[in-house]
Amino acid sequence: MFLQQLINGIALGSVYSLIALGYTMVYGIITLINFAHGEIFMVGAFIGLLLISVVKVNIFFAIIGAMVFCMVLGVVVELIAYRALRKSSRLSALISAIGVSIFLSSLALMVFGADAKGFPDNAFPVTQLHIGNADVSTLQLVIIGVSALLMLALEFIVQKTKIGKAMRATSEDYNTSALMGINVNRVISFTFALGSALAAAGGVLVGVLFNAVSFNMGLMAGLKAFAAAVLGGIGSIPGAMLGGLLLGVSEVFGVAIGYSSYRDAIAFSILVLVLLLKPTGLLGQKITKKV
C-alpha cells in the first residue's frame, strides 16, 4: 500500500515539477511570475489530445508536438505580453499575465467547449504491474520516466551548453550580462520557450493519466505548480523539482488516509508551514532585482 501510494505521488509530483520549472526559470532571470503558465500547460494538453485523436500519433510524438507548439506560444506570449513591460512596475506585468491567462482559457472554452474531453482508449495501453504487494500501472512509470528525462535534459542545457551559460549569467546579473554582449532578449525568449515546453509535456501526461482535458485545468495545476516552485525556492531549478515531488507525494498520501476533500488544502498548508520556517523555500536564496 505504501509503495503504491508513493509511486502515485511521485508520478503526480513529477508533473508538478515540470510545470514549476517554468515558473522558477522565468523568475530566476527576470524576477517575474508568469501567471499565464498554467494556461500554457492547458494548451499543451489540448494539442496532445488533438494529435492523438485526430492525427493518430502515439503519446510520445504527441508530447513532442505539444512541446514544439507551446515553445512557440511561450515566445509569443513573452514578446507580446511581457517584453514591453519589463522595465515597468511588477503590477503592470501581473495584470498582463492575468490577461493572457484569461484570454487563453476563454479561447479554449470557445474552441473546445466547457465539457472535459477524454483521450481515445488506445492512447496508451495501460498494464498493471505487481511490484511486491503494490499494483503499479505502466502509465505511471512512463510519466515518471519521461519527466525524469526532461528534467535531466533541462539540467544538461542549463549547465553544459552555451545558452545555458548565458541563462545562468543573466540570472546572476541582467544588466552586466547585457554589457558583456549577451543577447538577453534571446535568453529570456529561450527561457520562456523551455518552460513552456516542459509545461506542455506535463499537460499531455496529466491529460492521459486522468483521461480528461478541460479549458480550466490550468488554474489549479498552475497554482499548485507555483506553490511547488515557492516551496522548493523560487528561482532554484533543483528546488522546483524537489517542491513538486514533495507536493505530489503529500497530496496523494493525504487522500490515501481519508482527506480527499482537502487535497488542495494539503498542498497549500505545507507551503505555508515551510515558508513560516524558511521564507526563501527549501533550496531558495534571496534574489535581488535584476531589471
Side-chain angles (χ1 to χ4, degrees):
M1 177 67 176
F2 174 83
L3 179 61
Q4 183 171 338
Q5 298 303 329
L6 180 62
I7 293 175
N8 290 344
I10 292 174
L12 182 61
S14 297
V15 176
Y16 287 156
S17 295
L18 289 178
I19 313 170
L21 285 166
Y23 283 111
T24 209
M25 285 191 297
V26 170
Y27 187 87
I29 289 180
I30 56 174
T31 60
L32 169 70
I33 302 298
N34 178 19
F35 279 112
H37 193 60
E39 274 56 52
I40 301 289
F41 160 85
M42 175 269 296
V43 171
F46 271 115
I47 296 300
L49 174 64
L50 289 176
L51 289 174
I52 291 175
S53 302
V54 179
V55 186
K56 307 297 183 183
V57 301
N58 63 39
I59 185 174
F60 300 106
F61 284 108
I63 290 172
I64 293 171
M67 289 175 70
V68 171
F69 183 91
C70 286
M71 285 178 75
V72 176
L73 178 60
V75 172
V76 171
V77 167
E78 188 276 326
L79 182 63
I80 295 176
Y82 300 134
R83 182 168 297 187
L85 300 174
R86 203 177 291 163
K87 296 185 182 296
S88 301
S89 68
R90 294 303 173 203
L91 180 60
S92 299
L94 174 62
I95 293 172
S96 181
I98 294 172
V100 173
S101 174
I102 294 173
F103 171 78
L104 290 176
S105 60
S106 299
L107 182 62
L109 175 62
M110 290 173 59
V111 174
F112 299 102
D115 296 332
K117 304 294 188 294
F119 283 80
D121 293 335
N122 61 349
F124 185 85
V126 177
T127 304
Q128 294 294 327
L129 302 177
H130 299 285
I131 303 176
N133 59 353
D135 292 326
V136 180
S137 74
T138 51
L139 179 57
Q140 291 172 320
L141 298 180
V142 166
I143 290 173
I144 295 171
V146 169
S147 299
L149 285 175
L150 290 174
M151 286 187 274
L152 287 173
L154 173 66
E155 186 68 13
F156 176 81
I157 291 171
V158 172
Q159 298 296 334
K160 302 295 184 182
T161 66
K162 185 177 179 179
I163 187 66
K165 188 175 182 180
M167 289 172 65
R168 287 184 281 122
T170 306
S171 177
E172 287 293 326
D173 194 311
Y174 178 98
N175 293 317
T176 302
S177 297
L179 290 173
M180 295 297 292
I182 294 176
N183 187 337
V184 292
N185 284 331
R186 188 182 68 157
V187 170
I188 293 170
S189 292
F190 181 79
T191 303
F192 270 84
L194 203 55
S196 298
L198 295 175
V204 178
L205 292 172
V206 163
V208 175
L209 178 64
F210 294 108
N211 195 29
V213 178
S214 64
F215 76 97
N216 59 356
M217 65 182 290
L219 177 59
M220 186 54 66
L223 287 175
K224 287 183 179 179
F226 175 64
V230 176
L231 175 63
I234 191 74
S236 168
I237 289 177
M241 298 177 185
L242 176 62
L245 290 174
L246 288 177
L247 226 58
V249 170
S250 61
E251 184 176 320
V252 167
F253 274 101
V255 172
I257 62 177
Y259 293 98
S260 58
S261 300
Y262 302 99
R263 62 182 302 164
D264 297 333
I266 290 170
F268 296 110
S269 297
I270 292 173
L271 172 65
V272 171
L273 179 62
V274 169
L275 292 183
L276 286 174
L277 300 175
K278 196 173 188 299
T280 57
L282 295 174
L283 302 180
Q285 297 178 347
K286 186 176 180 180
I287 298 177
T288 57
K289 187 177 180 180
K290 300 178 179 61
V291 293

